[in-house]
Amino acid sequence: MKHQLLTKIHDHSATVAVIGLGYVGLPLAVAFAEKGFPVVGIEVDGRKVAAVQRGESYVQDIPSERLATLTNDERRTMEGHQPSTIGPRLGRAASAKVEGSAGGVAGAERRGGRP
């Protein structure tokens, strides 16, 4: 399992799930997406999810143009979802989950592992 994850990280095929798309989570999700990782952003605020899906930023450090290049390309490098729309698929889809919080990265969990 560890070797598989490291291989996916190395070749950028690991799907990263960022939980919380606020002023910490959105820049984190954008950073992973800009490095070529597929990113799924999970956010309870439907307005933020809709904004991400439209490529419109609500975070000062992330210009909308920068976000739009990630959400509107044909590969859809980055997607936003509410927890109710992703549900149990998240555990199967994501290779790594990262939680963004005001205190920095609050937790990370390897797929199948414990936080």
Side-chain angles (χ1 to χ4, degrees), residues 25-50:
L26 185 62
L28 183 62
V30 166
F32 276 111
E34 287 179 336
K35 292 295 183 186
F37 289 94
V39 176
V40 177
I42 310 300
E43 174 58 55
V44 294
D45 185 340
R47 295 169 299 176
K48 289 181 180 179
V49 172

Side-chain angles (χ1 to χ4, degrees), residues 96-115:
K97 300 174 199 111
V98 181
E99 182 179 333
S101 75
V105 177
E109 173 179 280
R110 196 174 79 230
R111 182 178 178 186
R114 302 242 182 242

Side-chain angles (χ1 to χ4, degrees), residues 3-112:
H3 178 71
Q4 262 183 320
L5 179 59
L6 291 175
T7 299
K8 287 182 173 188
I9 291 170
H10 184 265
D11 66 16
H12 292 175
S13 66
T15 299
V16 177
V18 177
I19 303 169
L21 296 176
Y23 69 90
V24 173
L26 185 62
L28 183 62
V30 166
F32 276 111
E34 287 179 336
K35 292 295 183 186
F37 289 94
V39 176
V40 177
I42 310 300
E43 174 58 55
V44 294
D45 185 340
R47 295 169 299 176
K48 289 181 180 179
V49 172
V52 167
Q53 291 172 342
R54 290 189 308 268
E56 297 173 5
S57 179
Y58 44 85
V59 173
Q60 184 176 359
D61 294 338
I62 304 295
S64 290
E65 298 78 24
R66 185 173 167 197
L67 181 60
T69 63
L70 301 169
T71 59
N72 296 331
D73 70 356
E74 58 192 43
R75 294 180 301 128
R76 292 198 48 96
T77 309
M78 189 172 147
E79 300 178 16
H81 294 277
Q82 286 188 274
S84 60
T85 65
I86 194 89
R89 296 180 317 168
L90 176 61
R92 292 188 301 272
S95 303
K97 300 174 199 111
V98 181
E99 182 179 333
S101 75
V105 177
E109 173 179 280
R110 196 174 79 230
R111 182 178 178 186

